[in-house]
Amino acid sequence: MKYFNRNHRIHWARRCDFINLRICSGFSSIFTSLILFLLTLTTTESLIAQNLLDIEHSRKYGQYLFETRQYKLAIEEWERVLFFSPGDDTARYQLIRALNLGNDYNEARLQIKRIFPDPVSMPGKYAIEYSKALLIMDSVKSATEIIRDNRFLSTSDRLFLQFHLDLNTDWDKARKAYGLEKETYLKLDNRYGDIIHQIDSRKIKSPALAAALSTIVPGSGKIYAGNWKDGLISLFFVGATSFQAIRGYNLYGPKSGFFISYSAIASAFYLGNIYGSFKAAKRHNDKSKKKIQESIGVVFLDHL
């Protein structure tokens, strides 16, 4: 019996040792597998990061951002490409275009000027972007010089830029140019026809006439300028204060404070109504001009 118990204990001790060995072996295998997995993951991520951040991938990503109109991000990506590859002309040109389309016109102008100090010998594609930036910034003199003197602008590009220069500075000249090259401009963008129509149908109000009308009938100059509400208000205030001045004169005489006060107020309203009518006509003209200029800007930016 004692022999049996001793053998039984030995048997179970060996069995437990075997089980513990299997468990330890299992944990060891799991731990080893986990370490290998983490090492593989780290290596893979490193390789992926390296692939994503190399120059070729940066170029592709920059182009993707540009095509999806994410110009601010595209600028950063093309700047990165140029940092590692300063002589990459494609990246430089795409950066300039992204700056223009991202509304950073002055930076686009400065970058082009830094690379090509002489506007006359500036490559055609850079001359176009440079001219566009100048036109949007209303640098008319500089834009005129490069459009006129640059040796590498094609005839069609020069025509397009000159037309937009005229639309910004001389509408009569732009209308004549459109009449001579109507088919060319309509083929380029049929919205040019709408712009010329807006220019032709624009109703200009004369500030002098508006002031003269309000001199005769207070408020009528503002009504002529399209401000019916302001015109009626001016008529009411001038009429009401004039009535009170006349009433004070009749009741209290020409030296009374009542008459003098309302006479002064009526005179102020009357003179203000004349000046206001003059300004109302100018605001009407400026508003219609601004509306046309916005239409021109939309078409121009679409061709950037």
Side-chain angles (χ1 to χ4, degrees):
M1 186 68 178
K2 291 181 180 181
Y3 176 78
F4 173 78
N5 289 335
R6 188 170 65 85
N7 288 340
H8 184 69
R9 284 196 300 270
I10 293 172
H11 170 74
W12 279 105
R14 290 176 177 175
R15 188 179 181 91
C16 289
D17 289 342
F18 175 74
I19 291 172
N20 289 334
L21 181 63
R22 291 290 300 274
I23 291 172
C24 291
S25 177
F27 276 118
S28 178
S29 299
I30 293 171
F31 182 74
T32 303
S33 299
L34 182 60
I35 293 296
L36 290 173
F37 173 75
L38 291 174
L39 287 172
T40 304
L41 182 63
T42 303
T43 305
T44 304
E45 287 181 347
S46 177
L47 290 172
I48 291 172
Q50 186 177 357
N51 287 336
L52 288 177
L53 294 177
D54 66 18
I55 296 300
E56 188 58 35
H57 281 85
S58 290
R59 287 195 186 96
K60 291 179 180 179
Y61 187 51
Q63 188 61 31
Y64 164 77
L65 292 171
F66 183 88
E67 291 173 355
T68 54
R69 298 176 181 267
Q70 300 179 66
Y71 300 120
K72 299 295 184 184
L73 295 175
I75 290 169
E76 295 178 5
E77 201 65 24
W78 287 119
E79 285 177 340
R80 181 181 180 280
V81 173
L82 282 172
F83 178 79
F84 289 104
S85 182
D88 192 332
D89 185 67
T90 301
R92 181 184 298 114
Y93 178 62
Q94 287 298 90
L95 172 61
I96 299 300
R97 293 188 67 201
L99 286 168
N100 263 340
L101 288 165
N103 302 325
D104 200 347
Y105 313 115
N106 190 52
E107 181 62 25
R109 179 187 67 83
L110 291 174
Q111 291 228 16
I112 298 173
K113 187 72 173 177
R114 186 164 55 248
I115 304 165
F116 306 105
D118 182 15
V120 175
S121 59
M122 190 180 290
K125 62 182 182 181
Y126 288 101
I128 293 170
E129 297 301 319
Y130 190 66
S131 300
K132 288 175 180 178
L134 291 173
L135 285 172
I136 294 173
M137 294 169 62
D138 290 328
S139 299
V140 175
K141 183 179 178 181
S142 298
T144 302
E145 290 174 357
I146 191 170
I147 293 169
R148 182 191 63 215
D149 300 332
N150 183 269
R151 298 197 302 264
F152 299 104
L153 280 173
S154 67
T155 302
S156 59
D157 288 333
R158 201 182 304 275
L159 187 69
F160 167 75
L161 292 170
Q162 182 62 51
F163 183 56
H164 271 281
L165 178 63
D166 294 339
L167 284 174
N168 285 338
T169 58
D170 190 339
W171 282 355
D172 287 335
K173 188 176 179 181
R175 288 164 64 188
K176 291 177 182 178
Y178 179 80
L180 294 173
E181 300 287 346
K182 182 176 180 179
E183 295 302 321
T184 301
Y185 293 122
L186 286 178
K187 187 176 180 180
L188 184 63
D189 196 316
N190 57 18
R191 288 175 293 178
Y192 286 121
D194 296 333
I195 291 171
I196 297 300
H197 177 71
Q198 288 181 54
I199 294 173
D200 289 337
S201 60
R202 179 184 177 221
K203 295 180 180 178
I204 298 182
K205 303 295 183 179
S206 169
L209 178 58
L213 289 172
S214 283
T215 302
I216 301 169
V217 180
S220 60
K222 292 184 178 181
I223 294 173
Y224 159 74
N227 294 340
W228 285 86
K229 185 177 179 180
D230 287 349
L232 293 174
I233 291 173
S234 294
L235 178 61
F236 171 78
F237 277 105
V238 173
T241 51
S242 297
F243 173 77
Q244 288 294 87
I246 295 170
R247 181 169 172 270
Y249 178 85
N250 292 330
L251 291 176
Y252 308 112
K255 295 183 179 181
S256 66
F258 189 94
F259 168 71
I260 293 173
S261 296
Y262 272 102
S263 293
I265 295 172
S267 298
F269 276 125
Y270 179 71
L271 294 174
N273 135 80
I274 295 173
Y275 178 72
S277 297
F278 179 87
K279 294 292 288 183
K282 291 196 72 174
R283 280 196 302 271
H284 174 275
N285 295 338
D286 291 341
K287 186 177 179 180
S288 63
K289 182 179 181 180
K290 184 179 179 181
K291 185 178 179 181
I292 295 173
Q293 286 176 330
E294 286 175 352
S295 299
I296 296 168
V298 169
V299 178
F300 187 57
L301 289 173
D302 283 349
H303 286 279
L304 279 175

